[in-house]
């Protein structure tokens, strides 16, 4: 039977909203959807024809090695699906690749579009500057979908409930505990005005000058991931999927290209202003106002005017 | 501990204007600078740090054309003992094909290892797949998004995986295993031109990819390259720097965040 198998992403009892994108692409492709979810009281909504509760704990389910065994059981019981859908997240990225490798299935990750006429998946290259149209052959295709890309296509479905026993958990990879983030000096999610700097600032030596500008503008300084990775700013100041989601009145992005992991963390800001020297920087697609200029020059000029 | 680190030479396109050639058949990278994949820089550093503590060796492996040797010299300058180039002029858009090639290479050449490192993803293609597929093909435990390695024992490691929103997960994983390293796990050491010159004197072995190629039954293929769909986009502020900055401050005032 032809169906799409959706592997639900859950974390600490929460059914992630991103699963709507997985349901959306299944609907867009006109596939009957079967969704796998671990044992627990999740608010999964009615987004698949069948919801199969796998009677294992969340941490067991979220482990790609266990998931491989669970999927083996599902395929044996239902036959192979045409499509296996993960969210493009810390869980989905890991498990989509491992699943593809384990079963020898083709895989396309970070899918953000589907062309129905051509039957091709769209996938980002070079941080969204180019997209590739992908065709898959030779088996159920494994995909991970970019959050926000397909949720509008999700429709109400019957959500017939089923249960299955899960295979015994593996011992070669086991969950130990969750580790919370270090405490922050400021909470960037509370700021009305964020001045956010990216890799474009060039070096750590530039940070004080941006801190100074933020001070004069009464803005809070935040950054994209590379700035935090390089330890130019502390982790709690990171905007994006693996950092904070912010919704300030104004988000002023300087030297940030606009990778989706960053965009996902700031796209709901009331007003986004981007400064970048690259006219093609993807961030200009999401910004309300754009300036094509050298950020250091803009910084110095602003300081000069504001005093 | 013997660690194999996969490192890729990638196009640094962040500041480049990219053009599609031949009606969507190819992306023109002829004028784009190349460098080591950012994620792989972190993973070479992590491997070198572990070996400095536990003993053993780091072997850097790159698949690509002769230019990829640059990545190997850099890894050796950082502390890798060996650099292997699996030479290939061919395009593999399918990460599965690439992972199976790596698998065959490791098996055929009988390369001993305790742990294999890859980056979480490559900057250019952003598949984030090579590590996971490789782990599954080799039948080894796997973890991606590795943002910390807390303990290294003979038969296992305690690692931290990065999840969303700043949360992490501590995991115990058996050795041998495959780990995909997340950026920010460490502060990679500075590599000087002198260091790279010295590393050039260390012999890098070259292997031919064709000797390890696996016939692919399933796969993906790029039908066409396209530009992103324009979403309306921003209102551009133009003119002299003075004017533009004045307009910017005007917007801040209008939004009530600056007086
Ligand atoms: C699992 C995972 C999670 C991630 N989570 C996050 C996250 O939470 N947050 C996040 O931000 N990223 C995240 N990333 C990384 C993301 O994919 C990008 O790598 C990152 O956002 C790029 O940051 P950037 O825009 O600062 O740097 P780049 O992409 O390098 O862009 C720098 C920009 O600066 C411009 N520039 C350079 N010099 C100047 C100048 N003098 N004047 C003007 N402009 C200049 C360039 O044109 C370029 O557009 C994650 C990645 C993965 C795989
Ligand atoms: C326009 C274009 C042209 C291309 N031309 C070529 C070409 O001529 N020849 C070619 O070989 N590929 C080429 N590629 C790249 C190829 O399509 C991808 O590298 C492949 O699909 C694997 O995906 P990834 O690099 O995104 O790996 P990811 O799964 O994102 O990478 C994760 C990790 O895998 C490891 N890894 C990936 N690739 C390599 C490598 N080559 N060597 C060592 N470690 C690696 C690294 O540790 C990396 O951090 C091209 C891609 C594009 C867009």
């Amino acid at each position: 039977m032809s169906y799409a198998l959706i592997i639900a992403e859950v974390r600490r009892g929460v059914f992630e909203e991103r699963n709507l994108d997985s349901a959306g692409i299944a609907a867009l492709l006109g596939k009957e959807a079967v969704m796998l979810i671990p044992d627990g009281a999740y608010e999964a909504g009615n987004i698949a024809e069948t919801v199969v509760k796998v009677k294992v704990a969340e941490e067991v389910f979220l482990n790609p090695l266990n998931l491989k065994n669970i999927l083996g059981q599902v395929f044996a019981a239902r036959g192979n699906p045409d499509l296996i859908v993960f969210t493009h997240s810390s869980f989905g990225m890991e498990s989509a690749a491992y699943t593809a490798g384990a079963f020898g299935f083709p895989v396309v990750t970070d899918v953000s579009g589907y062309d129905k006429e051509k039957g091709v998946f769209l996938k980002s290259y070079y941080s969204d500057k180019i997209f590739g149209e992908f065709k898959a052959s030779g088996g159920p295709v494994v995909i991970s979908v970019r959050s926000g890309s397909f949720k509008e296509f999700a429709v109400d479905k019957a959500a017939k409930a089923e249960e299955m026993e899960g295979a015994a958990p593996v011992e070669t990879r086991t969950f130990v505990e969750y580790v919370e983030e270090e405490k922050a000096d400021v909470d960037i999610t509370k700021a009305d005005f964020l001045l956010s700097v990216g890799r474009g600032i060039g070096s750590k030596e530039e940070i004080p000058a941006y801190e100074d500008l933020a001070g004069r503008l009464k803005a809070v300084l935040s950054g994209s991931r590379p700035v935090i990775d390089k330890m130019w700013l502390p982790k709690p100041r990171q905007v994006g999927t693996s950092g904070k989601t912010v919704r300030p009145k104004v988000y002023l992005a300087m030297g940030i290209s606009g990778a989706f992991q960053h965009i996902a963390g700031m796209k709901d800001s009331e007003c986004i202003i981007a400064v970048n020297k690259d006219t093609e920087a993807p961030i200009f697609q999401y910004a309300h106002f754009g300036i094509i200029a050298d950020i250091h020059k803009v910084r110095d000029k602003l300081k000069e005017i504001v005093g | 501990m013997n660690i194999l680190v996969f490192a890729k030479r990638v196009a640094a396109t962040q500041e480049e204007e990219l053009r599609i050639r031949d009606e969507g058949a190819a992306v023109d990278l002829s004028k784009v600078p190349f460098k080591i994949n950012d994620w792989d820089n972190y993973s070479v550093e992590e491997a070198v740090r572990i070996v400095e503590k536990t003993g053993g060796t780091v072997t850097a492996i790159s698949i690509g054309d002769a230019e990829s040797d640059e990545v190997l010299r850099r890894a050796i300058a950082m502390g890798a003992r060996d650099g292997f180039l699996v030479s290939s002029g061919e395009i593999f858009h399918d990460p599965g094909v690439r992972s199976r090639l790596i698998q065959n290479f490791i098996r055929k050449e009988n390369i001993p290892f305790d742990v294999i490192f890859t980056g979480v993803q490559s900057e250019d293609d952003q598949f984030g797949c090579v590590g996971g597929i490789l782990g599954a093909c080799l039948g080894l435990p796997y973890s991606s998004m590795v943002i910390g390695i807390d303990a290294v024992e003979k038969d296992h490691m305690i690692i931290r995986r990065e999840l969303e929103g700043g949360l992490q997960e501590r995991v115990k994983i058996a050795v041998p295993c495959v780990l995909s390293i997340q950026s920010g796990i460490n502060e990679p050491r500075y590599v000087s031109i002198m260091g790279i010159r010295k590393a050039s004197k260390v012999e890098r072995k070259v292997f031919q990819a064709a000797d390890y190629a696996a016939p692919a039954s399933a796969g993906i293929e790029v039908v066409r390259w396209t530009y992103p769909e324009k979403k309306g986009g921003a209102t551009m502020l133009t003119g002299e720097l003075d004017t533009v900055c004045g307009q910017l401050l005007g917007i801040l005032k209008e939004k009530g965040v600056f007086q």
Side-chain angles (χ1 to χ4, degrees):
Chain A
M1 190 188 59
S2 120
Y3 67 102
L5 185 65
I6 296 173
I7 319 297
E9 183 196 354
V10 293
R11 185 69 69 188
R12 295 171 119 182
V14 176
F15 182 81
E16 298 289 349
E17 211 187 307
R18 291 186 274 281
N19 292 310
L20 273 181
D21 293 293
S22 305
I25 194 163
L28 183 63
L29 269 79
K31 302 261 180 241
E32 185 190 326
V34 175
M35 183 163 74
L36 293 189
I37 193 165
D39 209 357
Y42 301 102
E43 287 180 35
N46 302 330
I47 56 173
E49 274 81 0
T50 311
V51 177
V52 181
K53 184 181 279 189
V54 187
K55 298 182 79 182
V56 297
E58 187 184 279
E59 302 80 47
V60 171
F61 184 85
L62 294 176
N63 174 337
L65 282 66
N66 292 324
L67 198 58
K68 170 191 155 185
N69 296 333
I70 292 167
L71 289 177
Q73 294 174 282
V74 172
F75 301 158
R78 294 182 181 265
N80 279 358
D82 315 318
L83 187 71
I84 304 171
V85 193
F86 291 89
T87 55
H88 195 64
S89 60
S90 61
F91 159 65
M93 283 176 78
E94 178 180 78
S95 286
Y98 197 81
T99 299
F103 295 98
F105 295 158
V107 57
V108 188
T109 55
D110 194 12
V111 171
S112 58
Y114 179 73
D115 186 326
K116 235 181 154 161
E117 260 162 50
K118 292 193 218 153
V120 293
F121 296 107
L122 261 82
K123 182 208 175 306
S124 155
Y125 272 73
Y126 312 113
S127 307
D128 282 16
K129 284 192 170 180
I130 302 279
F131 281 76
E133 295 181 348
F134 278 92
K135 259 210 157 85
S137 61
V141 52
V142 180
I143 61 173
S144 66
V145 294
R146 183 182 282 197
S147 137
S149 301
F150 301 103
K151 61 178 178 208
E152 71 215 70
F153 301 109
V155 286
D156 251 357
K157 291 184 167 179
K160 180 163 74 82
E162 290 182 15
E163 284 189 356
M164 66 176 268
E165 298 296 326
V170 301
E171 282 169 11
T172 49
R173 173 179 157 171
T174 47
F175 172 83
V176 179
E177 62 185 346
Y178 283 117
V179 184
E180 306 283 346
E181 188 176 271
E182 56 189 279
K183 281 278 167 288
D185 54 338
V186 284
D187 183 353
I188 60 168
T189 66
K190 299 260 158 55
D192 269 347
F193 180 13
L194 284 175
L195 168 60
S196 215
V197 292
R199 180 156 29 204
I201 64 167
S203 72
K204 188 173 188 155
E205 282 63 52
E206 300 289 344
I207 290 285
Y210 285 92
E211 254 164 5
D212 180 48
L213 176 63
R216 290 176 203 227
L217 293 174
K218 302 200 170 43
V220 171
L221 194 64
S222 56
S224 68
R225 180 169 185 122
V227 171
I228 277 73
D229 282 347
K230 292 175 199 290
M231 298 173 202
W232 298 349
L233 284 176
K235 175 79 182 170
R237 300 233 181 190
Q238 183 187 320
V239 174
T241 52
S242 54
K244 298 274 187 328
T245 301
V246 298
R247 289 181 195 82
K249 282 190 183 145
V250 176
Y251 188 82
L252 174 55
M254 299 184 78
I256 296 177
S257 64
F260 98 90
Q261 290 100 342
H262 188 83
I263 299 294
M266 46 63 92
K267 66 175 184 330
D268 296 328
S269 306
E270 212 177 292
C271 175
I272 299 167
I273 310 172
V275 188
N276 200 302
K277 67 177 179 189
D278 176 9
T279 53
E280 315 246 328
I283 194 157
F284 289 128
Q285 294 303 313
Y286 302 89
H288 302 92
F289 298 98
I291 298 173
I292 294 160
D294 183 301
I295 48 173
H296 299 324
K297 287 192 182 143
V298 170
R299 174 195 67 198
D300 295 341
K301 182 55 82 182
L302 286 172
K303 278 193 202 175
E304 192 188 307
I305 303 176
V306 173
Chain B
M1 184 140 290
N2 295 322
I3 308 179
L4 308 185
V5 185
F6 283 88
K8 181 183 174 187
R9 185 171 175 267
V10 296
T13 58
Q14 283 87 354
E15 297 173 26
E16 306 294 322
E17 191 179 323
L18 291 181
R19 286 287 147 244
I20 293 170
R21 284 195 286 117
D22 310 331
E23 291 170 7
V27 180
D28 186 357
L29 296 174
S30 58
K31 294 193 181 65
V32 175
F34 280 74
K35 62 177 203 51
I36 184 171
N37 181 30
D38 209 28
W39 275 269
D40 300 345
N41 195 32
Y42 287 98
S43 81
V44 171
E45 175 67 33
E46 196 61 24
V48 169
R49 286 187 189 193
I50 291 175
V51 164
E52 280 170 354
K53 277 196 224 120
T54 65
T57 61
V58 175
T59 304
I61 305 176
S62 194
I63 304 148
D65 57 16
E67 307 268 14
S68 293
D69 184 51
E70 173 191 340
V71 169
L72 300 177
R73 287 195 301 267
R74 204 173 182 288
I76 291 169
M78 287 174 81
R81 192 189 67 182
D82 295 305
F84 294 167
L85 175 67
V86 183
S87 172
S88 155
E90 227 184 305
I91 301 182
F92 309 111
H93 287 301
D94 189 335
V97 171
R98 176 162 310 220
S99 308
R100 280 178 202 101
L101 181 120
I102 296 174
Q103 177 197 2
N104 287 346
F105 170 67
I106 293 171
R107 286 211 174 129
K108 241 175 138 172
E109 295 303 328
N110 218 346
I111 300 172
F113 67 89
D114 299 298
V115 182
I116 296 176
F117 282 179
T118 78
V120 161
Q121 68 173 18
S122 54
E123 282 171 67
D124 50 357
D125 306 351
Q126 309 158 223
F127 262 98
C129 275
V130 166
I133 298 175
L134 185 62
C137 287
L138 293 170
L140 294 176
Y142 172 64
S143 174
S144 187
M145 312 292 161
V146 178
I147 193 71
I149 297 182
D150 296 342
V152 179
E153 307 292 342
K154 256 200 130 44
D155 62 342
H156 75 273
M157 287 174 139
I158 305 290
I159 58 171
R160 269 175 292 122
R161 298 188 63 229
E162 184 185 64
L163 309 173
E164 279 69 23
L167 187 66
Q168 297 181 356
E169 162 189 29
R170 195 167 274 131
V171 167
K172 181 178 173 190
I173 192 161
V175 169
C177 61
V178 178
L179 302 180
S180 294
I181 304 296
Q182 175 64 311
S183 61
I185 186 173
N186 54 40
E187 204 170 357
R189 67 197 65 192
Y190 173 75
V191 181
S192 68
I193 299 188
M194 274 298 288
I196 293 185
R197 210 173 287 156
K198 235 173 97 194
S200 317
K201 303 208 174 81
V202 177
E203 191 205 349
R204 279 94 57 210
K205 271 196 201 154
V206 181
F207 302 84
Q208 295 306 321
D211 296 341
Y212 316 99
S217 54
I220 55 168
E221 115 188 77
V222 184
V223 183
R224 201 169 71 106
W225 299 102
T226 60
Y227 296 109
E229 203 182 306
K230 295 273 181 246
K231 293 190 182 66
T235 304
M236 301 312 277
L237 309 181
T238 53
E240 293 295 315
L241 194 58
D242 272 300
T243 328
V244 168
C245 289
Q247 283 177 290
L248 173 58
L249 290 170
I251 297 167
L252 299 182
K253 282 180 188 151
E254 194 186 307
K255 294 287 163 194
V257 295
F258 179 70
Q259 301 321 313

